[in-house]
Structure formats: C-alpha cells, structure tokens
Amino acid sequence: MIDINMKKFVFIAASVFSGAMCLAQSSIPSDYRDDRTEGMSPQMSEFYAPQPAKVTPGAQAEAGAPSDAIVLFDGSNLDRWCSGNDGVPAGWSVNGDGTMTVVKEAGDIRTRDEFGDFQLHIEWRVPACIHGEGQARGNSGVFLQGRYEVQVLDNYENSTYVNGMAGSIYKQSVPLVNPCRKPGEWNVYDIIYTAPTFKEDGTFRTHPFVTVIFNGVLVQNHTMVLGTTEYIGFPTFGAHGKGPVTLQSHGDPSEPISFKNIWIRNL
Ligand code: MG
C-alpha cells in the first residue's frame, strides 16, 4: 500500500515531470538529450496513481493475418528476425506449436525489414507458473521503429508504476484501463502506429502517434509519443527513417514470455 506521504510525493513528482515534458516539447535542439536527466534516478519517472480500472476482456477469436499483411511469425521459423544487437540470426526458441519463446541470453530480436506507418498484430503469453513481481514479472516490450516501447508485462495481479504497466507507452503514457489476462492465457495487442516526421534540425515536425488495442480494449488512443523510451530521465530524439519492430529480452529472472501470430500491414 502507498501511504499518504508517498501519494503526495508521487503527485508532486508527476506534476513536475509532466510540466517539464511540456517544456521539453516546446524548444528542443537536434539529437536532444535533456541535461535534466543528469542525476535523476529511475524512480523519478515512475508514477503510482491513479490506477487504471481493471477490465475483463471478452472472448477473443483467433485473428488470422489479412491478405495484404506481411506475416512476421507464423510459428514455423524466425527467418524474418535477427538479433537486435548485431544482426546475427535471432536466438529465441521456436517451439513447434506455433509459438516462440524468449531466450534471455540471446538478447532482443528485431525484424529484418523496416517499417514506417503500420498496423501490427502480436500475441503474447506469460507462463502460468510465472514468479516475480513489479517489473520483474513477464517483462518484455514491443519497440516501434526500434525506439518507442509498448510495454509487455504480466499485470493480471501484479502492481507496478502505472506508466510501466502492460499497454503503457513505457514511462510516458498510462494505459486507459487494465484488460490483462491471467498468466497462461494469450494476450493480444493490435497497434496502429504513425511514424514521426522531422525538421531539418532533427526536431519533431510531427511526433509519433500510437493507438493500442489490448485484448479488444482500447488502452492508448492516438497517443503522442514524446520521444525514445528511457528507463532514467527524459525521452530523447533525433531524426530517423523507417525502423524495425524489436521485441525485448528483459533481464529480469522471471520465467520467459512467448509470442505467436505476428503480422504487420504497411499503411
Ligand atoms: Mg519492457
């Protein structure tokens, strides 16, 4: 439980941080890294209230890929993926039942192809036996253009900072509600992404925007992404073109997460 003083602290910290975010958007140089990040701790960008309401999602039918989609993973192989670090083959396990599972030592994986605006479908599941708590419980993530993270985490009965919950834009935007299914069941993300455009000096002409439907429930409604995902301090940015879809291998000790049925449509 969070006591009153902690609630006050969180509120003040949230107010200062969001105010600073507004300032950060108004006047920003290229390849921007905010000097105010210096000396910040991770906790200074973690907020605990208000909690998104819990929503029980409806039954969900299997969503096959539409005819114009690029199938990124159909269960058979990882040919469309490579290591996120150095471009070598993706080292995650393909299980023979239509799923793949994170191999933590292999690190992140990313698509070999790069994308601009897109619609992405991806399903994920944490093991029924999962242990751990907070961010150390089924943590992964979908990095849009390799930079902007839609958080993946078991939040069925697991509390953490609200801007780090499943369906958050990590440390930037809290999900509208919490429709997470219980461990052992499949969760579905449908993500509609609009890539940013940049001015010549590398600042945003238009920010990235993300809509996330989580188990059929809207959790991000055309949300403006402030910049790159940062564990500590403020988002950064610099001009970029198309980018991959990157899946995170998080370093926590909880049992590894699995994915299946991943497809994307260029928009
Ligand atoms: Mg993550």
Side-chain angles (χ1 to χ4, degrees):
M1 291 292 289
I2 301 170
D3 64 24
I4 296 298
N5 285 334
M6 178 58 86
K7 281 182 177 170
K8 276 184 186 167
F9 170 77
V10 166
F11 177 77
I12 292 166
S15 303
V16 169
F17 190 76
S18 55
M21 287 290 197
C22 292
L23 282 175
Q25 288 168 52
S26 60
S27 57
I28 34 187
S30 62
D31 297 313
Y32 180 81
R33 179 171 284 277
D34 196 312
D35 290 342
R36 289 168 295 181
T37 291
E38 291 297 320
M40 285 183 72
S41 67
Q43 291 74 27
M44 292 177 77
S45 53
E46 297 168 3
F47 310 130
Y48 286 82
Q51 282 285 329
K54 207 165 169 66
V55 169
T56 303
Q60 202 143 325
E62 190 77 20
S67 63
D68 63 350
I70 298 164
V71 177
L72 296 175
F73 180 69
D74 67 359
S76 57
N77 60 64
L78 291 172
D79 290 355
R80 285 192 171 272
W81 300 81
C82 60
S83 163
N85 297 323
D86 51 15
V88 301
W92 293 10
S93 67
V94 176
N95 304 316
D97 61 353
T99 71
M100 64 162 142
T101 300
V102 175
V103 174
K104 297 199 177 193
E105 312 78 62
D108 299 349
I109 65 170
R110 63 174 167 82
T111 55
R112 293 182 183 277
D113 290 332
E114 298 192 322
F115 304 95
D117 300 348
F118 58 78
Q119 173 188 354
L120 174 70
H121 177 96
I122 185 165
E123 304 182 24
W124 56 272
R125 178 184 66 186
V126 302
C129 64
I130 193 157
H131 294 88
E133 60 184 30
Q135 293 289 308
R137 186 178 169 93
N139 194 329
S140 182
V142 182
F143 281 77
L144 313 174
Q145 294 194 309
R147 293 168 172 81
Y148 314 113
E149 183 183 16
V150 178
Q151 173 71 314
V152 170
L153 189 74
D154 172 32
N155 276 131
Y156 182 70
E157 287 179 342
N158 176 38
S159 67
T160 184
Y161 43 94
V162 291
N163 56 341
M165 293 176 67
S168 65
I169 308 303
Y170 184 73
K171 289 206 169 178
Q172 294 188 28
S173 178
V174 179
L176 294 168
V177 291
N178 174 13
C180 203
R181 294 191 194 276
K182 67 176 67 168
E185 298 184 2
W186 286 97
N187 291 282
V188 180
Y189 281 171
D190 287 288
I191 298 171
I192 296 98
Y193 176 73
T194 303
T197 60
F198 295 91
K199 300 177 185 173
E200 284 192 356
D201 65 358
T203 58
F204 285 121
R205 183 177 303 282
T206 56
H207 280 253
F209 284 87
V210 184
T211 294
V212 181
I213 298 170
F214 181 2
N215 293 330
V217 180
L218 184 70
V219 295
Q220 298 290 341
N221 184 9
H222 196 59
T223 298
M224 187 175 80
V225 178
L226 301 174
T228 55
T229 297
E230 301 296 332
Y231 177 52
I232 297 174
F234 293 83
T236 69
F237 64 84
H240 64 82
K242 291 183 175 182
V245 175
T246 301
L247 301 181
Q248 184 183 39
S249 170
H250 193 266
D252 74 72
S254 67
E255 293 77 1
I257 189 169
S258 298
F259 294 91
K260 69 171 184 176
N261 193 19
I262 308 173
W263 51 261
I264 194 166
R265 294 180 63 247
N266 284 308
L267 300 177

